[in-house]
Amino acid sequence: MNAIYIELVEDSLTEFVYPAELGGLQYELSALNYGIQLTVHGFNHKIKQLLDKVLDRMVNIKIEKQSFEIIKEKVKRSLQNFRREVPYQMAYFGVTYLTAEHQWNKDELLSCIDGITIHDVEAFIPRMLTRFFTDSLMYGNLTKDQALEYMTSIERKFQEKRYYQPLFPSCNYAYSMLNDAHKLHAIEIYLQCFQQTLENNALLELFCHFVDEPCFDQLRTKEQLGYVVSAGARRSRGVQGFRVIVQSARELDHVNQRIELFIESMRDYILTMSDEQFKKQREGCMVKKVEVPKKMRSQGNRFWMEITNHQFCFDRSQLEGEIIQNLERNDLICFYDHYISLNSIHRRKLALHVNPSSLALQKPNDETNNVEQEYDSTATDEIETEQVEVIIPTGAIHGEIKLTEQPVIIEKLNETTTTTTNEAENVLPKKELNLPQAEWIDNIHVWKSKLSCYPLAQSYDKIDVPVLCKL
């Protein structure tokens, strides 16, 4: 009902906001798992009028039966099309769903949408708004008094609370989903590590900085598992871990083996690199961390994420950058041995498999294999934002590479040419690891009921907003 409500509000505002958009004002209204997010941005001299109009429509919307039926059908189609999404995006959603304490999956939402009536939505709106609590960020060309004035326009009646599921020590869970539109497969391997703190964040980010490029080079360029290959940090609801995601035409058992073999190789990669190379990599991570955003909106998004996460560490980049500068090689090795190593008793693995359904397998190849070309930077935003619940963020997928622009990955060898010793050393051996047996999740509700929750991430007590973008 929340999604239907948001769509109805947006539909009712279409005629009003069109001139505003032409004049440089925009708004975005989104239904989240734990509430609603409203963003208004643009030229400041008329921004309050747009904010007031949107809020007024949210509170006083009059629902017409014809509009309700159209919007309801639109939301239903969106839920039905979930199994036609790009496989790696389904994998991302699957891990988020499995590790959330309370979240409905698409099939559960779809099963009840037919029974929702216009009277249900009309009753839902005041019931929700009477429980409204607001987190807000006012950022840009306005004063404190103006920000307080804007806040008086917003209902403060809804309280949001976020949790995150920890996995049991030394566990190896797996879950499978089907995709109806593509013959490709996708897998996300998530190794849950620890809660979010400044120190933990810095340690995980430095490790991901060392691993990201070798992961892309090995699994994508050398082994050609697929165009979509990414490694990085996954953060949500105060907990974080290391994840690798691959979208591939190959069977996922093989892809899982190659990912695990790559992860196994990273310990020696970090341990044997020269001191000079280690310091250079660490310096690069620190510089990237403290880099000032080039756009005001980017900095505003960082501030907003601190508020929605209830952590309020507005100078996080500088603080974590200083911690990264003091981390040593042994810190990464200890982190790897405890949380990442296949032999660690503390390793917590969740693998999300997305496979083509029988419906997808019946489609002609030209209808199902275009997904690589559809991949673009918007997918990165979603993944980073789990670094959001998003709204945000972590780990980056490399830029768009279209099929027609694909560089030569494997050089052709003539009859008299053989692979050099150095080239051979750069390719992981074609061996199989003795991986522990995965416990496949059949009943998600029963599985979640056996798990306890991490405590929420703690707020930062020294609140200070740095001025990084001057007007």
Side-chain angles (χ1 to χ4, degrees):
M1 285 193 288
N2 194 21
I4 294 176
Y5 166 57
I6 294 303
E7 291 284 350
L8 287 167
V9 172
E10 290 184 326
D11 181 69
S12 68
L13 286 169
T14 301
E15 184 176 350
F16 173 80
V17 301
Y18 179 70
E21 291 176 348
L22 294 178
L25 285 173
Q26 294 181 327
Y27 86 100
E28 298 158 10
L29 195 61
S30 306
L32 307 180
N33 291 331
Y34 295 90
I36 297 171
Q37 176 172 300
L38 170 62
T39 303
V40 182
H41 55 93
F43 295 110
N44 62 290
H45 65 298
K46 292 289 186 179
I47 202 169
K48 188 175 186 299
Q49 285 89 323
L50 178 58
L51 174 64
D52 289 341
K53 184 67 176 181
V54 175
L55 290 173
D56 179 72
R57 189 59 54 87
M58 291 175 67
V59 175
N60 301 308
I61 185 172
K62 303 297 182 182
I63 305 176
E64 298 179 0
K65 183 173 180 57
Q66 183 179 6
S67 297
F68 170 78
E69 295 298 336
I70 293 173
I71 294 301
K72 177 180 173 181
E73 183 62 26
K74 178 182 177 181
V75 174
K76 181 178 179 179
R77 286 199 307 269
S78 176
L79 293 172
Q80 290 172 332
N81 289 335
F82 171 71
R83 285 178 50 157
R84 301 178 62 85
E85 292 285 347
V86 178
Y88 79 91
Q89 291 178 334
M90 288 184 64
Y92 171 77
F93 171 84
V95 172
T96 301
Y97 170 61
L98 290 172
T99 55
E101 181 188 19
H102 297 299
Q103 182 171 337
W104 305 110
N105 65 31
K106 306 298 183 182
D107 290 335
E108 290 170 328
L109 295 174
L110 186 60
S111 68
C112 67
I113 194 170
D114 286 335
I116 297 176
T117 67
I118 187 172
H119 301 294
D120 293 330
V121 177
E122 288 174 338
F124 166 78
I125 295 171
R127 186 168 68 248
M128 178 188 64
L129 293 180
T130 55
R131 297 175 174 87
F132 216 88
F133 179 88
T134 301
D135 285 325
S136 66
L137 169 67
M138 311 288 181
Y139 180 66
N141 187 24
L142 76 170
T143 65
K144 177 180 178 180
D145 290 339
Q146 288 174 320
L148 293 174
E149 179 185 356
Y150 293 173
M151 278 301 300
T152 61
S153 302
I154 303 173
E155 296 289 339
R156 300 170 178 264
K157 301 173 183 177
F158 183 82
Q159 184 173 9
E160 176 185 66
K161 199 173 186 181
R162 297 184 176 188
Y163 295 98
Y164 204 84
Q165 289 280 19
L167 303 178
F168 289 138
S170 189
C171 64
N172 184 21
Y173 292 114
Y175 184 71
S176 179
M177 303 172 70
L178 294 177
N179 184 286
D180 291 337
H182 306 287
K183 292 184 179 180
L184 293 169
H185 307 262
I187 183 172
E188 177 170 344
I189 290 178
Y190 171 54
L191 303 179
Q192 192 180 67
C193 296
F194 36 45
Q195 289 179 264
Q196 293 183 36
T197 66
L198 294 177
E199 292 77 12
N200 288 347
N201 294 357
L203 183 58
L204 179 60
E205 287 188 22
L206 183 59
F207 176 78
C208 292
H209 181 80
F210 275 83
V211 171
D212 178 42
E213 184 178 350
C215 177
F216 186 82
D217 179 61
Q218 178 63 40
L219 301 182
R220 195 270 189 205
T221 304
K222 291 188 173 69
E223 300 192 24
Q224 302 183 73
L225 293 182
Y227 283 150
V228 180
V229 174
S230 175
R234 167 183 266 274
R235 293 192 175 110
S236 184
R237 301 175 179 90
V239 180
Q240 59 188 334
F242 172 69
R243 66 112 176 95
V244 177
I245 188 165
V246 175
Q247 181 171 281
S248 177
R250 303 190 185 186
E251 293 296 327
L252 293 184
D253 287 343
H254 171 74
V255 178
N256 180 57
Q257 274 280 345
R258 301 311 297 175
I259 292 174
E260 288 285 10
L261 190 61
F262 166 76
I263 292 174
E264 183 190 47
S265 71
M266 283 299 96
R267 189 184 194 279
D268 286 341
Y269 171 75
I270 296 173
L271 188 63
T272 58
M273 70 170 50
S274 66
D275 291 340
E276 181 181 359
Q277 186 180 5
F278 178 87
K279 293 177 180 178
K280 184 177 180 180
Q281 290 266 32
R282 182 180 61 187
E283 182 70 17
C285 180
M286 185 192 68
V287 170
K288 182 178 179 181
K289 183 70 179 178
V290 301
E291 182 180 8
V292 177
K294 295 179 175 61
K295 295 182 180 180
M296 176 182 288
R297 184 173 178 83
S298 299
Q299 182 61 62
N301 287 339
R302 286 189 181 183
F303 291 159
W304 180 236
M305 184 168 53
E306 295 295 334
I307 293 173
T308 58
N309 291 340
H310 292 177
Q311 296 186 29
F312 311 110
C313 184
F314 297 106
D315 54 350
R316 177 182 303 280
S317 296
Q318 186 64 37
L319 294 173
E320 292 181 358
E322 293 172 357
I323 296 172
I324 290 173
Q325 189 175 22
N326 294 318
L327 291 174
E328 299 296 339
R329 188 197 310 263
N330 188 58
D331 297 317
L332 292 184
I333 296 301
C334 290
F335 164 79
Y336 179 95
D337 290 342
H338 190 89
Y339 295 105
I340 307 300
S341 173
L342 188 61
N343 299 319
S344 173
I345 63 172
H346 302 285
R347 193 185 209 234
R348 301 191 291 267
K349 176 182 176 180
L350 174 62
L352 199 294
H353 294 227
V354 177
N355 293 298
S357 68
S358 58
L359 181 62
L361 293 175
Q362 294 172 6
K363 293 178 178 290
N365 288 336
D366 58 352
E367 293 184 15
T368 61
N369 290 338
N370 298 337
V371 62
E372 304 291 4
Q373 294 178 310
E374 297 171 2
Y375 166 64
D376 58 30
S377 60
T378 58
T380 305
D381 296 337
E382 290 189 24
I383 290 185
E384 295 291 325
T385 114
E386 168 60 355
Q387 243 188 320
V388 95
E389 187 161 268
V390 181
I391 299 204
I392 230 91
T394 61
I397 294 181
H398 292 259
E400 179 180 10
I401 303 177
K402 296 185 178 180
L403 288 173
T404 56
E405 300 171 349
Q406 168 64 12
V408 176
I409 296 178
I410 299 179
E411 296 181 357
K412 295 181 179 180
L413 302 178
N414 58 40
E415 297 179 357
T416 60
T417 305
T418 58
T419 304
T420 64
T421 303
N422 290 337
E423 288 174 337
E425 291 176 351
N426 290 332
V427 178
L428 294 176
K430 300 295 183 180
K431 70 175 184 179
E432 286 196 2
L433 296 172
N434 185 20
L435 300 178
Q437 186 69 30
E439 179 180 343
W440 287 89
I441 301 169
D442 294 322
N443 189 316
I444 293 176
H445 301 291
V446 172
W447 176 71
K448 286 187 177 183
S449 69
K450 299 177 181 179
L451 305 179
S452 58
C453 292
Y454 267 114
L456 292 173
Q458 297 299 306
S459 299
Y460 186 65
D461 57 357
K462 299 179 181 179
I463 297 179
D464 182 25
V465 181
V467 180
L468 297 181
C469 294
K470 296 182 179 180
L471 299 177

